[in-house]
Amino acid sequence: MKTNSKSKIIIVDDHLLFSQSLELLIKSFGDYEVIERFENGKVFIDYLEENPLSEIDLILLDVNMPVLDGLSTMKWLKENRPDLKVIALSVNDDDEIIIKMITNGAKGYLLKDTSPEIFREAIHCVIEKGFYFTELVSGMLINKVNSDNRKISLKEKEIVFIKHACTEMTYKEIASEMCLSPKTIDGYRESLFDKLEIKTRIGLVLYAIKHKIVFV
Amino acid sequence: MKTNSKSKIIIVDDHLLFSQSLELLIKSFGDYEVIERFENGKVFIDYLEENPLSEIDLILLDVNMPVLDGLSTMKWLKENRPDLKVIALSVNDDDEIIIKMITNGAKGYLLKDTSPEIFREAIHCVIEKGFYFTELVSGMLINKVNSDNRKISLKEKEIVFIKHACTEMTYKEIASEMCLSPKTIDGYRESLFDKLEIKTRIGLVLYAIKHKIVFV
DNA sequence: TCGGACAAGGGGAAATACCCCCTTTTTTGT
DNA sequence: ACAAAAAAGGGGGTATTTCCCCTTGTCCGA
């Protein structure tokens, strides 16, 4: 039956203007229909759990959303519904997040300034062939597998310390806040300086902001 | 003739998916037509200069764009075409930028997660009555006029110093970089701490990033 | 000629950065 | 199952940097 019925698409995006408009754009292509729209990952997952048998050919998933964001949603899908095909949509071309979305199973990653023609081709491609990657994304994948293998993994305590370090508290104050001796805090500091290749607390703050450990 | 012809709208947004989709949404309302779309302020202004007589009822202006952003475009419009009505569209509800867009003549400010119904009402309102402000924006305006009158103005040297302070250089190194005595730098530091109500260099870094003096 | 900005400096307390050291628990490899 | 190896927490001491207050001169515009 699939050959003569339209492909079923779901949109998950908190920008209502965008998601409703996008539905119209997709409709105008003629080959697809938007069966549902959700404004964050949470309500989308709720829907999937209540309707496990609903037929879905493609999911258009926004990366930046409140409540449950694109990456977390992607992780849930990888775990629970790896059968579903997802194209991630985003305004930013941040290396990290693109890699993460793809390693968690996204079949495509499009920026929102993509032209409607390419968008249409990507939808077609993913539904028919299973994937679609732009040059931007392919290039990034090649770069990443070649170079960035030494992954810096931060432990929970370190993250907490970094967040505190991004305030005007002194280390002593941070220590008492975290119920640890100032010496332990000094140990965290030193090992982080070493690990992150920085020399001052300023460097730590810049690192934290760049890697979205803290928000400004 | 205006009463029985559709209102003419222009969209300026670099997200092609959004802008093309939005055109469809606006068309679906029935009362409006999108006569042009541009992907940044620069090409839009070029168009205005070449077609100074084109009839435009409303401009939907994205705030975050490459080449020439929403605010700069708004300033140009205030200077050169104050007759044109603009609704600013944005994903972020940053106080500063909202205030700036409005003080530069925007007749409305909508977040992109606005519902299509409110969007439609806003368009209607601005074309007919001249303005439309959501509660978010009104509340912000009231807050701002009441509280934030003391403007913090930074001098060029101070800006340069702040940029250097947002690196791992010591104050001594900054001094030699700026060809000043460490003690002069110390003076800059102290007066800034005072002015910006901060207590540590960390606070200065956070301030600089928050106010986009430096970028991460 | 007064005030105010800018530049420079002295002295000192506090915080930060950088050493080398120790014990206890947890994890891991085989 | 057991030893080896990390990881987590704490300690002493020192050098450097940051932070703070207070003074001196100069130049410039009102």
Side-chain angles (χ1 to χ4, degrees):
Chain A
M1 302 310 105
K2 193 160 175 199
T3 45
N4 57 2
S5 78
K6 294 186 176 185
S7 295
K8 291 172 176 49
I9 295 179
I10 283 181
I11 300 174
V12 187
D13 195 312
D14 59 314
H15 296 3
L16 299 181
L17 277 187
F18 180 69
S19 94
Q20 178 134 343
S21 304
L22 194 64
E23 174 171 353
L24 293 173
L25 179 66
I26 291 169
K27 262 187 198 156
S28 79
F29 292 157
D31 306 320
Y32 314 103
E33 63 174 320
V34 176
I35 55 171
E36 294 285 347
R37 287 187 289 116
F38 301 97
E39 53 184 296
N40 62 62
K42 177 80 175 60
V43 292
F44 170 50
I45 289 176
D46 289 347
Y47 164 85
L48 282 181
E49 291 185 323
E50 281 170 31
N51 308 275
L53 300 177
S54 83
E55 200 183 302
I56 304 167
D57 295 298
L58 179 65
I59 293 151
L60 299 174
L61 180 63
D62 185 29
V63 173
N64 308 107
M65 289 185 296
V67 189
L68 192 69
D69 68 24
L71 182 54
S72 312
T73 307
M74 201 64 238
K75 285 179 178 170
W76 187 92
L77 287 170
K78 184 187 191 180
E79 199 66 31
N80 300 279
R81 293 296 303 269
D83 57 306
L84 297 175
K85 291 171 179 166
V86 175
I87 292 179
L89 290 177
S90 173
V91 289
N92 78 59
D93 57 352
D94 177 349
D95 295 24
E96 288 308 319
I97 188 74
I98 294 181
I99 298 296
K100 282 181 185 160
M101 289 302 284
I102 289 170
T103 53
N104 279 288
K107 301 289 190 287
Y109 192 106
L110 293 179
L111 297 179
K112 287 190 179 175
D113 64 359
T114 305
S115 75
E117 291 71 35
I118 292 186
F119 177 61
R120 182 179 190 169
E121 190 191 332
I123 292 179
H124 175 263
C125 227
V126 170
I127 290 179
E128 297 305 321
K129 297 195 302 193
F131 69 95
Y132 178 93
F133 292 126
T134 59
E135 277 184 36
L136 167 79
V137 176
S138 318
M140 192 164 301
L141 283 173
I142 291 165
N143 266 350
K144 282 294 156 179
V145 289
N146 285 349
S147 67
D148 205 328
N149 272 342
R150 55 103 184 72
K151 187 159 289 161
I152 291 166
S153 75
L154 299 173
K155 322 209 183 316
E156 193 47 39
K157 276 273 178 63
E158 288 179 320
I159 303 274
V160 174
F161 164 67
I162 291 178
K163 288 185 186 195
H164 284 109
C166 292
T167 71
E168 295 200 315
M169 274 188 271
T170 66
Y171 288 137
K172 207 183 297 180
E173 289 166 340
I174 294 172
S176 92
E177 184 76 18
M178 290 178 68
C179 301
L180 291 170
S181 134
K183 284 300 178 181
T184 305
I185 290 299
D186 192 53
Y188 286 3
R189 181 198 55 74
E190 185 143 20
S191 95
L192 279 170
F193 278 21
D194 196 42
K195 209 186 298 191
L196 306 179
E197 296 177 62
I198 53 180
K199 289 183 299 297
T200 66
R201 183 165 164 183
I202 304 297
L204 185 60
V205 171
L206 297 174
Y207 178 93
I209 293 168
K210 201 170 312 188
H211 293 76
K212 307 195 198 313
I213 296 169
V214 297
F215 303 100
V216 285
Chain B
M1 302 311 99
K2 195 166 175 192
T3 46
N4 58 0
S5 77
K6 295 186 176 185
S7 295
K8 292 171 175 51
I9 296 180
I10 283 180
I11 301 175
V12 186
D13 195 312
D14 60 315
H15 296 4
L16 299 182
L17 277 188
F18 180 70
S19 96
Q20 180 135 341
S21 304
L22 194 64
E23 174 171 354
L24 294 173
L25 179 67
I26 291 169
K27 264 186 196 154
S28 79
F29 293 157
D31 306 319
Y32 315 102
E33 63 173 321
V34 175
I35 55 172
E36 295 284 348
R37 287 188 290 117
F38 302 97
E39 54 184 295
N40 62 61
K42 176 80 174 63
V43 292
F44 171 50
I45 289 176
D46 290 348
Y47 165 84
L48 282 182
E49 290 185 323
E50 281 171 30
N51 308 274
L53 299 178
S54 82
E55 199 183 303
I56 305 167
D57 295 299
L58 179 64
I59 294 151
L60 298 173
L61 181 63
D62 185 30
V63 173
N64 308 107
M65 290 184 295
V67 189
L68 192 67
D69 67 23
L71 182 56
S72 311
T73 307
M74 200 64 237
K75 284 179 178 169
W76 187 92
L77 287 170
K78 184 189 190 181
E79 199 67 32
N80 301 277
R81 294 295 303 267
D83 57 306
L84 296 175
K85 290 170 179 168
V86 175
I87 292 179
L89 290 177
S90 174
V91 289
N92 76 59
D93 56 354
D94 177 348
D95 294 23
E96 288 307 319
I97 189 71
I98 295 181
I99 298 294
K100 282 181 184 161
M101 289 301 282
I102 290 170
T103 53
N104 279 286
K107 301 290 189 286
Y109 192 106
L110 293 179
L111 298 179
K112 288 189 179 177
D113 63 359
T114 304
S115 76
E117 291 69 36
I118 291 188
F119 177 60
R120 182 179 191 169
E121 189 191 332
I123 293 179
H124 176 263
C125 225
V126 170
I127 290 180
E128 296 305 321
K129 298 195 304 190
F131 69 96
Y132 178 93
F133 293 125
T134 59
E135 278 184 37
L136 168 79
V137 176
S138 318
M140 192 164 301
L141 284 172
I142 290 165
N143 267 350
K144 282 294 156 178
V145 288
N146 285 350
S147 67
D148 206 329
N149 273 338
R150 53 105 183 68
K151 187 160 291 160
I152 291 166
S153 76
L154 298 173
K155 314 194 194 323
E156 194 47 39
K157 277 269 181 63
E158 288 179 321
I159 302 275
V160 174
F161 164 67
I162 290 178
K163 289 186 183 190
H164 285 107
C166 293
T167 70
E168 294 201 314
M169 276 188 272
T170 66
Y171 289 139
K172 207 185 296 183
E173 288 166 339
I174 295 172
S176 92
E177 184 77 17
M178 290 177 68
C179 302
L180 290 171
S181 133
K183 283 301 178 179
T184 305
I185 292 299
D186 194 51
Y188 286 4
R189 181 199 54 73
E190 184 145 23
S191 97
L192 280 170
F193 278 21
D194 198 41
K195 211 185 301 192
L196 307 179
E197 297 176 60
I198 53 180
K199 288 184 298 296
T200 66
R201 184 165 164 182
I202 304 296
L204 186 59
V205 172
L206 297 174
Y207 178 92
I209 293 168
K210 201 170 312 186
H211 292 78
K212 307 196 195 315
I213 296 168
V214 298
F215 304 98
V216 285

mmCIF file of all heavy atoms in Angstrom, chain B residues 129-161:
data_model
loop_
_atom_site.group_PDB
_atom_site.id
_atom_site.type_symbol
_atom_site.label_atom_id
_atom_site.label_comp_id
_atom_site.label_asym_id
_atom_site.label_seq_id
_atom_site.Cartn_x
_atom_site.Cartn_y
_atom_site.Cartn_z
ATOM 1 N N LYS B 129 -3.541 48.980 13.105
ATOM 2 C CA LYS B 129 -3.454 49.915 14.223
ATOM 3 C C LYS B 129 -2.057 50.488 14.436
ATOM 4 O O LYS B 129 -1.883 51.430 15.196
ATOM 5 C CB LYS B 129 -3.918 49.227 15.517
ATOM 6 C CG LYS B 129 -5.384 48.778 15.461
ATOM 7 C CD LYS B 129 -5.924 48.446 16.838
ATOM 8 C CE LYS B 129 -5.103 47.395 17.532
ATOM 9 N NZ LYS B 129 -5.694 46.870 18.756
ATOM 10 N N GLY B 130 -1.071 49.889 13.779
ATOM 11 C CA GLY B 130 0.268 50.465 13.849
ATOM 12 C C GLY B 130 1.217 49.818 14.829
ATOM 13 O O GLY B 130 2.408 50.070 14.784
ATOM 14 N N PHE B 131 0.717 48.976 15.736
ATOM 15 C CA PHE B 131 1.649 48.311 16.651
ATOM 16 C C PHE B 131 1.014 47.072 17.255
ATOM 17 O O PHE B 131 -0.206 46.918 17.256
ATOM 18 C CB PHE B 131 2.086 49.251 17.773
ATOM 19 C CG PHE B 131 0.988 49.569 18.734
ATOM 20 C CD1 PHE B 131 0.857 48.847 19.923
ATOM 21 C CD2 PHE B 131 0.068 50.583 18.466
ATOM 22 C CE1 PHE B 131 -0.176 49.128 20.802
ATOM 23 C CE2 PHE B 131 -0.963 50.865 19.350
ATOM 24 C CZ PHE B 131 -1.089 50.146 20.512
ATOM 25 N N TYR B 132 1.856 46.194 17.778
ATOM 26 C CA TYR B 132 1.395 45.015 18.513
ATOM 27 C C TYR B 132 2.491 44.564 19.452
ATOM 28 O O TYR B 132 3.588 44.226 19.019
ATOM 29 C CB TYR B 132 1.050 43.862 17.550
ATOM 30 C CG TYR B 132 0.607 42.611 18.271
ATOM 31 C CD1 TYR B 132 -0.745 42.364 18.509
ATOM 32 C CD2 TYR B 132 1.533 41.689 18.747
ATOM 33 C CE1 TYR B 132 -1.157 41.239 19.189
ATOM 34 C CE2 TYR B 132 1.131 40.548 19.446
ATOM 35 C CZ TYR B 132 -0.214 40.327 19.657
ATOM 36 O OH TYR B 132 -0.625 39.214 20.338
ATOM 37 N N PHE B 133 2.194 44.590 20.729
ATOM 38 C CA PHE B 133 3.178 44.107 21.688
ATOM 39 C C PHE B 133 2.609 43.018 22.572
ATOM 40 O O PHE B 133 1.515 43.183 23.126
ATOM 41 C CB PHE B 133 3.705 45.259 22.556
ATOM 42 C CG PHE B 133 4.513 46.248 21.760
ATOM 43 C CD1 PHE B 133 4.191 47.596 21.758
ATOM 44 C CD2 PHE B 133 5.579 45.810 20.995
ATOM 45 C CE1 PHE B 133 4.929 48.498 21.010
ATOM 46 C CE2 PHE B 133 6.323 46.701 20.248
ATOM 47 C CZ PHE B 133 5.986 48.053 20.249
ATOM 48 N N THR B 134 3.342 41.944 22.694
ATOM 49 C CA THR B 134 2.917 40.885 23.607
ATOM 50 C C THR B 134 3.163 41.332 25.036
ATOM 51 O O THR B 134 3.838 42.328 25.278
ATOM 52 C CB THR B 134 3.743 39.603 23.372
ATOM 53 O OG1 THR B 134 5.116 39.909 23.576
ATOM 54 C CG2 THR B 134 3.540 39.090 21.960
ATOM 55 N N GLU B 135 2.637 40.549 25.962
ATOM 56 C CA GLU B 135 2.857 40.881 27.368
ATOM 57 C C GLU B 135 4.336 40.865 27.709
ATOM 58 O O GLU B 135 4.821 41.716 28.434
ATOM 59 C CB GLU B 135 2.112 39.886 28.260
ATOM 60 C CG GLU B 135 0.648 40.234 28.436
ATOM 61 C CD GLU B 135 -0.004 39.273 29.407
ATOM 62 O OE1 GLU B 135 0.658 38.880 30.382
ATOM 63 O OE2 GLU B 135 -1.176 38.927 29.177
ATOM 64 N N LEU B 136 5.021 39.875 27.157
ATOM 65 C CA LEU B 136 6.459 39.774 27.387
ATOM 66 C C LEU B 136 7.152 41.101 27.114
ATOM 67 O O LEU B 136 7.905 41.628 27.931
ATOM 68 C CB LEU B 136 7.060 38.700 26.470
ATOM 69 C CG LEU B 136 8.591 38.668 26.376
ATOM 70 C CD1 LEU B 136 9.203 37.980 27.573
ATOM 71 C CD2 LEU B 136 9.059 38.006 25.086
ATOM 72 N N VAL B 137 6.854 41.651 25.934
ATOM 73 C CA VAL B 137 7.539 42.867 25.511
ATOM 74 C C VAL B 137 7.068 44.075 26.318
ATOM 75 O O VAL B 137 7.888 44.880 26.771
ATOM 76 C CB VAL B 137 7.318 43.101 24.005
ATOM 77 C CG1 VAL B 137 7.932 44.414 23.581
ATOM 78 C CG2 VAL B 137 7.906 41.942 23.211
ATOM 79 N N SER B 138 5.762 44.178 26.550
ATOM 80 C CA SER B 138 5.253 45.316 27.323
ATOM 81 C C SER B 138 5.886 45.327 28.699
ATOM 82 O O SER B 138 6.362 46.360 29.176
ATOM 83 C CB SER B 138 3.731 45.227 27.469
ATOM 84 O OG SER B 138 3.141 44.825 26.261
ATOM 85 N N GLY B 139 5.885 44.145 29.327
ATOM 86 C CA GLY B 139 6.457 44.030 30.661
ATOM 87 C C GLY B 139 7.902 44.487 30.681
ATOM 88 O O GLY B 139 8.326 45.218 31.563
ATOM 89 N N MET B 140 8.622 44.076 29.660
ATOM 90 C CA MET B 140 10.026 44.432 29.562
ATOM 91 C C MET B 140 10.217 45.939 29.428
ATOM 92 O O MET B 140 11.076 46.534 30.057
ATOM 93 C CB MET B 140 10.601 43.718 28.347
ATOM 94 C CG MET B 140 12.071 43.753 28.263
ATOM 95 S SD MET B 140 12.588 42.515 27.107
ATOM 96 C CE MET B 140 11.905 41.038 27.859
ATOM 97 N N LEU B 141 9.378 46.554 28.605
ATOM 98 C CA LEU B 141 9.471 47.999 28.406
ATOM 99 C C LEU B 141 9.266 48.723 29.723
ATOM 100 O O LEU B 141 10.008 49.646 30.062
ATOM 101 C CB LEU B 141 8.421 48.463 27.394
ATOM 102 C CG LEU B 141 8.747 48.149 25.935
ATOM 103 C CD1 LEU B 141 7.564 48.471 25.037
ATOM 104 C CD2 LEU B 141 9.974 48.947 25.493
ATOM 105 N N ILE B 142 8.255 48.276 30.484
ATOM 106 C CA ILE B 142 7.973 48.932 31.759
ATOM 107 C C ILE B 142 9.159 48.790 32.696
ATOM 108 O O ILE B 142 9.624 49.737 33.298
ATOM 109 C CB ILE B 142 6.709 48.325 32.394
ATOM 110 C CG1 ILE B 142 5.491 48.753 31.574
ATOM 111 C CG2 ILE B 142 6.563 48.792 33.840
ATOM 112 C CD1 ILE B 142 4.243 47.965 31.858
ATOM 113 N N ASN B 143 9.683 47.546 32.789
ATOM 114 C CA ASN B 143 10.866 47.302 33.610
ATOM 115 C C ASN B 143 11.998 48.244 33.269
ATOM 116 O O ASN B 143 12.621 48.831 34.123
ATOM 117 C CB ASN B 143 11.357 45.865 33.405
ATOM 118 C CG ASN B 143 10.767 44.944 34.440
ATOM 119 O OD1 ASN B 143 10.154 45.420 35.390
ATOM 120 N ND2 ASN B 143 10.918 43.655 34.256
ATOM 121 N N LYS B 144 12.253 48.351 31.983
ATOM 122 C CA LYS B 144 13.431 49.076 31.535
ATOM 123 C C LYS B 144 13.342 50.563 31.834
ATOM 124 O O LYS B 144 14.275 51.151 32.345
ATOM 125 C CB LYS B 144 13.637 48.864 30.031
ATOM 126 C CG LYS B 144 14.244 47.522 29.704
ATOM 127 C CD LYS B 144 15.677 47.419 30.230
ATOM 128 C CE LYS B 144 16.056 45.962 30.427
ATOM 129 N NZ LYS B 144 17.424 45.782 30.879
ATOM 130 N N VAL B 145 12.203 51.179 31.508
ATOM 131 C CA VAL B 145 12.106 52.619 31.731
ATOM 132 C C VAL B 145 12.180 52.943 33.214
ATOM 133 O O VAL B 145 12.668 53.993 33.598
ATOM 134 C CB VAL B 145 10.808 53.222 31.124
ATOM 135 C CG1 VAL B 145 10.909 53.256 29.610
ATOM 136 C CG2 VAL B 145 9.585 52.468 31.563
ATOM 137 N N ASN B 146 11.712 52.003 34.051
ATOM 138 C CA ASN B 146 11.757 52.264 35.478
ATOM 139 C C ASN B 146 13.150 52.130 36.079
ATOM 140 O O ASN B 146 13.559 52.940 36.879
ATOM 141 C CB ASN B 146 10.803 51.304 36.214
ATOM 142 C CG ASN B 146 9.363 51.711 36.022
ATOM 143 O OD1 ASN B 146 9.099 52.794 35.505
ATOM 144 N ND2 ASN B 146 8.440 50.864 36.410
ATOM 145 N N SER B 147 13.856 51.091 35.698
ATOM 146 C CA SER B 147 15.084 50.787 36.415
ATOM 147 C C SER B 147 16.353 51.235 35.702
ATOM 148 O O SER B 147 17.121 52.027 36.213
ATOM 149 C CB SER B 147 15.159 49.283 36.662
ATOM 150 O OG SER B 147 15.314 48.602 35.430
ATOM 151 N N ASP B 148 16.514 50.761 34.501
ATOM 152 C CA ASP B 148 17.845 50.784 33.900
ATOM 153 C C ASP B 148 18.173 52.105 33.203
ATOM 154 O O ASP B 148 18.359 52.162 32.005
ATOM 155 C CB ASP B 148 17.964 49.630 32.911
ATOM 156 C CG ASP B 148 19.422 49.206 32.750
ATOM 157 O OD1 ASP B 148 20.296 50.069 32.886
ATOM 158 O OD2 ASP B 148 19.649 48.029 32.494
ATOM 159 N N ASN B 149 18.264 53.144 33.984
ATOM 160 C CA ASN B 149 18.557 54.424 33.355
ATOM 161 C C ASN B 149 20.045 54.753 33.352
ATOM 162 O O ASN B 149 20.537 55.369 32.418
ATOM 163 C CB ASN B 149 17.782 55.550 34.043
ATOM 164 C CG ASN B 149 16.410 55.706 33.427
ATOM 165 O OD1 ASN B 149 16.201 55.292 32.287
ATOM 166 N ND2 ASN B 149 15.489 56.290 34.156
ATOM 167 N N ARG B 150 20.734 54.324 34.422
ATOM 168 C CA ARG B 150 22.153 54.634 34.463
ATOM 169 C C ARG B 150 22.881 53.754 33.438
ATOM 170 O O ARG B 150 23.022 52.559 33.596
ATOM 171 C CB ARG B 150 22.717 54.458 35.875
ATOM 172 C CG ARG B 150 22.469 53.116 36.545
ATOM 173 C CD ARG B 150 23.700 52.273 36.568
ATOM 174 N NE ARG B 150 23.512 50.959 37.119
ATOM 175 C CZ ARG B 150 22.798 49.999 36.567
ATOM 176 N NH1 ARG B 150 22.115 50.233 35.465
ATOM 177 N NH2 ARG B 150 22.745 48.799 37.109
ATOM 178 N N LYS B 151 23.295 54.387 32.373
ATOM 179 C CA LYS B 151 23.944 53.629 31.308
ATOM 180 C C LYS B 151 25.442 53.506 31.577
ATOM 181 O O LYS B 151 26.090 54.451 32.001
ATOM 182 C CB LYS B 151 23.702 54.309 29.959
ATOM 183 C CG LYS B 151 24.215 53.469 28.786
ATOM 184 C CD LYS B 151 23.536 53.925 27.499
ATOM 185 C CE LYS B 151 22.056 53.551 27.503
ATOM 186 N NZ LYS B 151 21.273 54.314 26.581
ATOM 187 N N ILE B 152 25.933 52.324 31.359
ATOM 188 C CA ILE B 152 27.354 52.092 31.562
ATOM 189 C C ILE B 152 28.059 52.280 30.228
ATOM 190 O O ILE B 152 27.844 51.524 29.293
ATOM 191 C CB ILE B 152 27.598 50.683 32.115
ATOM 192 C CG1 ILE B 152 27.069 50.602 33.550
ATOM 193 C CG2 ILE B 152 29.065 50.333 32.051
ATOM 194 C CD1 ILE B 152 26.942 49.214 34.078
ATOM 195 N N SER B 153 28.886 53.328 30.165
ATOM 196 C CA SER B 153 29.596 53.530 28.909
ATOM 197 C C SER B 153 31.073 53.251 29.114
ATOM 198 O O SER B 153 31.693 53.740 30.041
ATOM 199 C CB SER B 153 29.387 54.958 28.411
ATOM 200 O OG SER B 153 30.177 55.841 29.145
ATOM 201 N N LEU B 154 31.587 52.407 28.244
ATOM 202 C CA LEU B 154 32.982 52.016 28.374
ATOM 203 C C LEU B 154 33.812 52.737 27.323
ATOM 204 O O LEU B 154 33.404 52.868 26.179
ATOM 205 C CB LEU B 154 33.101 50.504 28.190
ATOM 206 C CG LEU B 154 32.346 49.664 29.218
ATOM 207 C CD1 LEU B 154 32.385 48.193 28.856
ATOM 208 C CD2 LEU B 154 32.923 49.880 30.605
ATOM 209 N N LYS B 155 34.983 53.171 27.753
ATOM 210 C CA LYS B 155 35.872 53.852 26.813
ATOM 211 C C LYS B 155 36.666 52.826 26.011
ATOM 212 O O LYS B 155 36.795 51.672 26.412
ATOM 213 C CB LYS B 155 36.832 54.764 27.573
ATOM 214 C CG LYS B 155 36.074 55.563 28.621
ATOM 215 C CD LYS B 155 36.845 56.690 29.180
ATOM 216 C CE LYS B 155 36.156 57.196 30.447
ATOM 217 N NZ LYS B 155 34.668 57.165 30.390
ATOM 218 N N GLU B 156 37.224 53.309 24.917
ATOM 219 C CA GLU B 156 37.927 52.415 24.003
ATOM 220 C C GLU B 156 39.038 51.627 24.704
ATOM 221 O O GLU B 156 39.141 50.412 24.557
ATOM 222 C CB GLU B 156 38.498 53.224 22.836
ATOM 223 C CG GLU B 156 38.944 52.376 21.655
ATOM 224 C CD GLU B 156 37.918 51.320 21.237
ATOM 225 O OE1 GLU B 156 36.701 51.629 21.257
ATOM 226 O OE2 GLU B 156 38.323 50.190 20.912
ATOM 227 N N LYS B 157 39.867 52.327 25.498
ATOM 228 C CA LYS B 157 40.947 51.662 26.226
ATOM 229 C C LYS B 157 40.402 50.591 27.158
ATOM 230 O O LYS B 157 40.995 49.520 27.300
ATOM 231 C CB LYS B 157 41.737 52.697 27.045
ATOM 232 C CG LYS B 157 42.802 53.443 26.256
ATOM 233 C CD LYS B 157 44.160 52.753 26.318
ATOM 234 C CE LYS B 157 45.242 53.475 25.556
ATOM 235 N NZ LYS B 157 45.527 54.827 26.091
ATOM 236 N N GLU B 158 39.295 50.888 27.791
ATOM 237 C CA GLU B 158 38.705 49.925 28.708
ATOM 238 C C GLU B 158 38.262 48.673 27.955
ATOM 239 O O GLU B 158 38.470 47.554 28.411
ATOM 240 C CB GLU B 158 37.515 50.546 29.455
ATOM 241 C CG GLU B 158 37.938 51.571 30.492
ATOM 242 C CD GLU B 158 36.768 52.212 31.212
ATOM 243 O OE1 GLU B 158 35.739 52.492 30.562
ATOM 244 O OE2 GLU B 158 36.882 52.435 32.428
ATOM 245 N N ILE B 159 37.670 48.869 26.802
ATOM 246 C CA ILE B 159 37.242 47.738 25.979
ATOM 247 C C ILE B 159 38.449 46.866 25.636
ATOM 248 O O ILE B 159 38.402 45.646 25.767
ATOM 249 C CB ILE B 159 36.579 48.224 24.676
ATOM 250 C CG1 ILE B 159 35.382 49.132 24.986
ATOM 251 C CG2 ILE B 159 36.176 47.037 23.803
ATOM 252 C CD1 ILE B 159 34.099 48.425 25.246
ATOM 253 N N VAL B 160 39.521 47.522 25.205
ATOM 254 C CA VAL B 160 40.725 46.780 24.845
ATOM 255 C C VAL B 160 41.232 45.992 26.049
ATOM 256 O O VAL B 160 41.581 44.816 25.953
ATOM 257 C CB VAL B 160 41.828 47.736 24.333
ATOM 258 C CG1 VAL B 160 43.119 46.970 24.100
ATOM 259 C CG2 VAL B 160 41.367 48.430 23.070
ATOM 260 N N PHE B 161 41.253 46.669 27.208
ATOM 261 C CA PHE B 161 41.705 45.990 28.423
ATOM 262 C C PHE B 161 40.819 44.791 28.740
ATOM 263 O O PHE B 161 41.319 43.700 29.047
ATOM 264 C CB PHE B 161 41.711 46.964 29.604
ATOM 265 C CG PHE B 161 41.797 46.283 30.931
ATOM 266 C CD1 PHE B 161 42.950 45.592 31.299
ATOM 267 C CD2 PHE B 161 40.724 46.290 31.803
ATOM 268 C CE1 PHE B 161 43.029 44.948 32.525
ATOM 269 C CE2 PHE B 161 40.791 45.646 33.025
ATOM 270 C CZ PHE B 161 41.940 44.972 33.385
#
